[in-house]
C-alpha cells in the first residue's frame, strides 16, 4: 500500500480503574495508525461506583474526560462523550425505583452532561438509549422520553449523541427519526447509532443518521460497507480483562480494514473516507497526518 492508513475508532471505552487504562490503550492504538478516538462513558459499576447517585455519575464523567485528555497527550485526537447507559436505568427500576423517580434522575444526568459540553470538555451525550434486550413497554416508553430530552439538549448545544439501541433494522431507525423530529433536531448527522446492525445501515443513511459499525462482529462490517461508505466504525472495546466478549480492541481495527481492502470490499479512497472524512464531518475535528 502507498501510505499508512489513518485509523479512527468512533466509539470505545477505557477503564482507568480496572482495565489497561487510557495511556496504554492510546499507545497501542497509535502504533497501528490510530489518529481519532471517541471515548464514551462506561457504566458506573464498571468503575467501582454506585448506580443512582448523581455525584458518582459526575465522577464517571470526570474519569471519562480525564482519560480523553491522557489519550490526547499520547498524540491521538480524542473526544469525550458522557451520559448514562440504559442498563443503569433498568437496574434502578429493578432495584425498586419508580418510573418518575428514574426519569427525574436520568434527566439530571443529561443536564450534568450538558454542563461538561458547555465548558468544551465533552462533545456529546452517550451512550444513552434503550436496552438491546427485551423489556416491557413501559421501560421502552421511559427510555424514549429520556432520549427525546437528550436530543433536545444536544440540539441546543450542537452536540453529538451516541445511541445504544436494540438492533431491529428499519423499525429501530424509524422510531429514532420520529424522536429526533419531535425534539426538533436539525442536523441528524450528529445522531450516531452505536453498534448498528447491517439492517439499520440503509434506513439510517436514508434519514441522514450516522451508523457506527462494530468491526469486531465478523461479517457485519463487510456487509455494511457493501451498502454504503457513509458510516463510521467502532471497536466498542470495554477495557475489561474479565469481559473480552465479541468486541475487538482499537488496535485491531487496522487488520480488519486491511482485510476488507484485500478482499476488494473497500478501495483505499473508501477506507480514507470512512476513517477520516466521515469523522471530520461528524466531529468537526481535523486530521493532520
Ligand atoms: Zn459502548
Amino acid at each position: 500500500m502507498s501510505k499508512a492508513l489513518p485509523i479512527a475508532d468512533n466509539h470505545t471505552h477505557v477503564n482507568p480503574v480496572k482495565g489497561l487504562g487510557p495511556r496504554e490503550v492510546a499507545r497501542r492504538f497509535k502504533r497501528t495508525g490510530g489518529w481519532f478516538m471517541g471515548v464514551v462513558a462506561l457504566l458506573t459499576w464498571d468503575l467501582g461506583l454506585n448506580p443512582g447517585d448523581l455525584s458518582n455519575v459526575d465522577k464517571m464523567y470526570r474519569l471519562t474526560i480525564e482519560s480523553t485528555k491522557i489519550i490526547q497527550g499520547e498524540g491521538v485526537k480524542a473526544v469525550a462523550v458522557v451520559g448514562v447507559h440504559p442498563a443503569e436505568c433498568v437496574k434502578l427500576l429493578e432495584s425498586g425505583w419508580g418510573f418518575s423517580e428514574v426519569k427525574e434522575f436520568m434527566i439530571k444526568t443529561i443536564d450534568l452532561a450538558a454542563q461538561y459540553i458547555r465548558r468544551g470538555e465533552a462533545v456529546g451525550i452517550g451512550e444513552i438509549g434503550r436496552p438491546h434486550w427485551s423489556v416491557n413497554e413501559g421501560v421502552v416508553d421511559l427510555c424514549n422520553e429520556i432520549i427525546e430530552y437528550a436530543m433536545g439538549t444536544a440540539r441546543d448545544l450542537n452536540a453529538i449523541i451516541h445511541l445504544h439501541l436494540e438492533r431491529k433494522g428499519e423499525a429501530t431507525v424509524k422510531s429514532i427519526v420520529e424522536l429526533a423530529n419531535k425534539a426538533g433536531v436539525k442536523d441528524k448527522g450528529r445522531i450516531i447509532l452505536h453498534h448498528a446492525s447491517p439492517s439499520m445501515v440503509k434506513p439510517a443513511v436514508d434519514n441522514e443518521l450516522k451508523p457506527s459499525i462494530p468491526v469486531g462482529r465478523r461479517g457485519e462490517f463487510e456487509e455494511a460497507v457493501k451498502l454504503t461508505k457513509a458510516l463510521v466504525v467502532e471497536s466498542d472495546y470495554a477495557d475489561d480483562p474479565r469481559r473480552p466478549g465479541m468486541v475487538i480492541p482499537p488496535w485491531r481495527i487496522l487488520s480488519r480494514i486491511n482485510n476488507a481492502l484485500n478482499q476488494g470490499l473497500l478501495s483505499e479512497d473508501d477506507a480514507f473516507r470512512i476513517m477520516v472524512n466521515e469523522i471530520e464531518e461528524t466531529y468537526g475535528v481535523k486530521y493532520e497526518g
Side-chain angles (χ1 to χ4, degrees):
M1 222 169 292
S2 45
K3 54 184 186 326
L5 179 69
I7 298 293
D9 188 346
N10 175 64
H11 179 114
T12 193
H13 306 277
V14 289
N15 192 327
V17 179
K18 297 177 181 170
L20 292 174
R23 197 175 311 276
E24 184 58 27
V25 169
R27 284 180 180 169
R28 293 186 188 191
F29 183 52
K30 180 137 190 180
R31 281 201 288 268
T32 57
W35 80 276
F36 175 88
M37 199 175 249
V39 182
V40 183
L42 281 161
L43 297 153
T44 50
W45 55 85
D46 287 331
L47 298 161
L49 300 165
N50 301 316
D53 178 328
L54 198 63
S55 74
N56 277 218
V57 170
D58 190 46
K59 264 186 205 148
M60 175 173 76
Y61 288 0
R62 282 175 194 280
L63 281 170
T64 310
I65 289 160
E66 275 165 28
S67 295
T68 305
K69 286 182 183 151
I70 290 168
I71 293 167
Q72 287 164 354
E74 294 297 323
V76 174
K77 284 213 170 156
V79 295
V81 177
V82 291
V84 171
H85 197 285
E88 296 222 21
C89 187
V90 172
K91 197 174 192 110
L92 296 179
L93 290 169
E94 282 169 356
S95 68
W97 286 38
F99 275 78
S100 60
E101 235 180 328
V102 172
K103 185 178 170 186
E104 206 177 298
F105 177 76
M106 293 301 279
I107 281 175
K108 279 185 192 156
T109 68
I110 293 164
D111 290 343
L112 185 61
Q115 288 178 27
Y116 284 103
I117 296 167
R118 238 176 250 121
R119 287 198 294 269
E121 293 184 278
V123 301
I125 304 170
E127 57 192 276
I128 60 151
R130 298 192 288 249
H132 59 266
W133 62 94
S134 97
V135 287
N136 71 46
E137 229 171 89
V139 177
V140 173
D141 290 343
L142 171 67
C143 289
N144 284 341
E145 286 173 31
I146 295 160
I147 293 171
E148 192 184 330
Y149 183 81
M151 283 177 170
T153 303
R155 174 204 62 207
D156 293 344
L157 298 169
N158 196 26
I160 295 282
I161 297 193
H162 281 220
L163 288 178
H164 175 108
L165 300 163
E166 75 287 345
R167 309 174 94 211
K168 291 190 178 147
E170 193 163 7
T172 297
V173 174
K174 250 194 185 156
S175 85
I176 295 306
V177 171
E178 274 166 27
L179 288 169
N181 289 339
K182 261 165 87 181
V185 174
K186 282 186 200 81
D187 184 359
K188 293 203 191 71
R190 301 182 77 70
I191 299 176
I192 295 169
L193 306 181
H194 149 61
H195 209 263
S197 65
S199 63
M200 289 160 71
V201 166
K202 235 191 105 30
V205 172
D206 289 347
N207 288 287
E208 287 159 4
L209 301 166
K210 188 71 69 193
S212 183
I213 308 298
V215 284
R217 281 182 172 252
R218 294 230 161 245
E220 289 196 2
F221 167 65
E222 288 77 2
E223 211 181 319
V225 295
K226 282 183 198 161
L227 298 168
T228 184
K229 314 295 183 260
L231 49 78
V232 290
V233 298
E234 61 178 48
S235 68
D236 199 21
Y237 178 58
D239 194 18
D240 184 340
R242 295 157 312 157
R243 260 200 305 144
M246 301 201 56
V247 298
I248 58 165
W251 52 92
R252 294 258 321 277
I253 296 176
L254 175 64
S255 71
R256 299 282 289 127
I257 301 298
N258 280 338
N259 273 346
L261 286 165
N262 293 336
Q263 289 172 38
L265 291 170
L266 291 177
S267 68
E268 283 189 42
D269 285 349
D270 293 336
F272 194 85
R273 173 175 173 184
I274 291 169
M275 288 297 158
V276 178
N277 303 139
E278 290 290 331
I279 293 288
E280 285 182 333
E281 250 173 59
T282 306
Y283 292 93
V285 293
K286 194 96 200 87
Y287 171 64
E288 283 150 1

